[in-house]
Amino acid sequence: MAKVEYIQYYSNTLRRNMNLEVTGHWGHPILMFPSSGGHFTQNTDFGLVGSVMNFIDEGKVKLYNIETIDMMSFYDDHMDTGTKMHNYELFMQFLKNELIPFIQRECHTHRIGVSGVSFGGYHAANTAFRFPDLISHYIGMSAAFNIRNMAPLSDDLRIYYNCPDEYMRHEDGWKYDHMQIVLGTSDWDICLDKNRHMSGILNGKGIAHWYDEKKRISHDWPLWKMMFPEYLGAYFK
């Protein structure tokens, strides 16, 4: 039975406790994000963690499910764009300067994996593409790659730097040579076009990745529970 630990990690950057669910004893660490506004246990509650329990039990991976601040940034419809971007930048700095170093120390590794479904896939993508030296794997499932629709009528430059499908057009492809990248989607997925578009950008930069388009299954947990074991199986045999 896999070890499950619940941690309240105090962030000096955010000045608050951040909830973290850790599943497994050892293995390559994968930092996971919930979908839009989801609880930090969402990936467990909806069976995504359970779908890869054999990899956890065998010590191949160790999962770190972190809460987000979606409801204090992009998903607060009454918040002005400047405050949204300020708060989200603090979250990104928390990941880079606090949480990822904590995971690195705990797992004795330099690079970690990141993953998520839907808007959780956005958080994972933004982390991977902004901080490539820290990331070994990006596994996105039905991910989004742009937040401009959540920051309307604004030319705040910070929006650009948090839209992977914009800033990746101007990045050097060699920075990502070491990274295993998966863009998982389906022909019935509401994020299908977003993933096709992102794949085209990566191809244009010469960045190797696995674009995987499933058939006849919608943007929901059954799709992601089918995908996740397949992707882990490809990299953590």
Side-chain angles (χ1 to χ4, degrees):
M1 189 70 177
K3 175 185 176 183
V4 181
E5 185 178 8
Y6 299 97
I7 298 172
Q8 284 198 324
Y9 185 103
Y10 182 76
S11 167
N12 289 311
T13 303
L14 295 168
R15 297 184 181 181
R16 54 165 287 182
N17 285 321
M18 296 294 287
N19 290 302
L20 181 67
E21 177 191 69
V22 183
T23 307
H25 293 81
W26 54 80
H28 193 78
I30 301 178
L31 175 60
M32 300 187 66
F33 302 85
S35 63
S36 306
H39 194 262
F40 75 104
T41 62
Q42 184 193 61
N43 288 319
T44 294
D45 297 340
F46 283 87
L48 189 65
V49 171
S51 74
V52 296
M53 194 55 70
N54 59 314
F55 294 93
I56 298 170
D57 288 339
E58 293 170 10
K60 295 177 179 177
V61 298
K62 186 174 182 178
L63 305 187
Y64 291 78
N65 277 276
I66 187 64
E67 71 172 303
T68 65
I69 60 166
D70 287 351
M71 308 315 294
M72 293 179 285
S73 55
F74 300 130
Y75 279 85
D76 185 337
D77 294 335
H78 303 290
M79 184 178 287
D80 66 272
T81 294
T83 304
K84 287 182 179 182
M85 299 314 302
H86 173 76
N87 290 349
Y88 189 68
E89 271 301 317
L90 290 179
F91 179 68
M92 293 301 291
Q93 294 309 309
F94 155 68
L95 296 178
K96 179 186 178 184
N97 298 324
E98 296 184 69
L99 184 60
I100 291 176
F102 165 74
I103 297 172
Q104 290 170 321
R105 291 191 299 270
E106 187 165 278
C107 296
H108 305 289
T109 188
H110 174 56
R111 294 187 174 122
I112 72 169
V114 289
S115 184
V117 306
S118 194
F119 202 61
Y122 160 78
H123 292 303
N126 202 30
T127 303
F129 293 136
R130 281 187 57 175
F131 313 130
D133 187 51
L134 303 178
I135 306 302
S136 59
H137 300 72
Y138 164 63
I139 299 175
M141 293 167 279
S142 301
F145 304 97
N146 196 290
I147 46 83
R148 282 198 182 273
N149 65 317
M150 300 177 185
L153 304 177
S154 175
D155 59 359
D156 190 323
L157 189 59
R158 291 173 297 183
I159 299 172
Y160 167 84
Y161 287 109
N162 286 288
C163 290
D165 63 356
E166 296 184 17
Y167 65 74
M168 284 300 290
R169 293 178 178 275
H170 307 289
E171 287 292 336
D172 294 321
W174 62 264
K175 294 180 181 179
Y176 306 89
D177 286 348
H178 65 278
M179 195 183 299
Q180 303 294 335
I181 299 171
V182 183
L183 305 181
T185 185
S186 80
D187 58 352
W188 290 357
D189 189 358
I190 59 174
C191 289
L192 172 61
D193 290 343
K194 296 178 175 66
N195 281 270
R196 286 180 174 175
H197 180 60
M198 192 70 211
S199 180
I201 292 170
L202 297 182
N203 282 330
K205 301 300 292 186
I207 299 172
H209 64 286
W210 176 7
Y211 173 80
D212 183 37
E213 186 177 311
K214 304 300 187 188
K215 303 302 179 185
R216 296 181 296 279
I217 186 166
S218 299
H219 181 101
D220 209 344
W221 295 98
L223 170 62
W224 306 325
K225 289 189 286 185
M226 176 175 65
M227 288 174 161
F228 201 31
E230 179 182 351
Y231 300 154
L232 291 193
Y235 300 119
F236 303 100
K237 297 177 181 179

